[in-house]
Amino acid sequence: MKYLVIAAFVAILGSLGAALLYMMRGGATNPADSEGIPRKNHMARALAFRVGFSILLFLVVLISYWMGWISPTGLPMQP
């Protein structure tokens, strides 16, 4: 489970970095793109992927807790 969470965080940070890269390059069209799709669409797609993947990660952790695959290991509660 630990490796799954680490991989998810790397994917989330990667898509955030891709969105930053698209934002810094501006709204000009990509010369290699024959359709002339603006980069804003690419940035929005990268940010949407990040949000969706974050929600998916939260749901996986929540379901894993309910199924008993993971357990909290914090400090014990003191009365």
Side-chain angles (χ1 to χ4, degrees), residues 16-39:
L16 189 61
L20 176 67
L21 182 68
Y22 290 131
M23 183 181 73
M24 295 303 289
R25 287 187 179 174
T29 58
N30 190 353
D33 194 4
S34 62
E35 297 175 12
I37 299 172
R39 287 203 175 113

Side-chain angles (χ1 to χ4, degrees), residues 28-74:
T29 58
N30 190 353
D33 194 4
S34 62
E35 297 175 12
I37 299 172
R39 287 203 175 113
K40 291 180 184 178
N41 291 343
H42 294 294
M43 183 181 72
R45 197 174 320 144
L47 290 175
F49 174 78
R50 182 190 66 87
V51 170
F53 210 70
S54 298
I55 292 170
L56 179 66
L57 176 64
F58 176 75
L59 291 175
V60 166
V61 169
L62 190 64
I63 291 170
S64 298
Y65 175 72
W66 281 342
M67 298 291 286
W69 298 337
I70 60 173
S71 61
T73 59

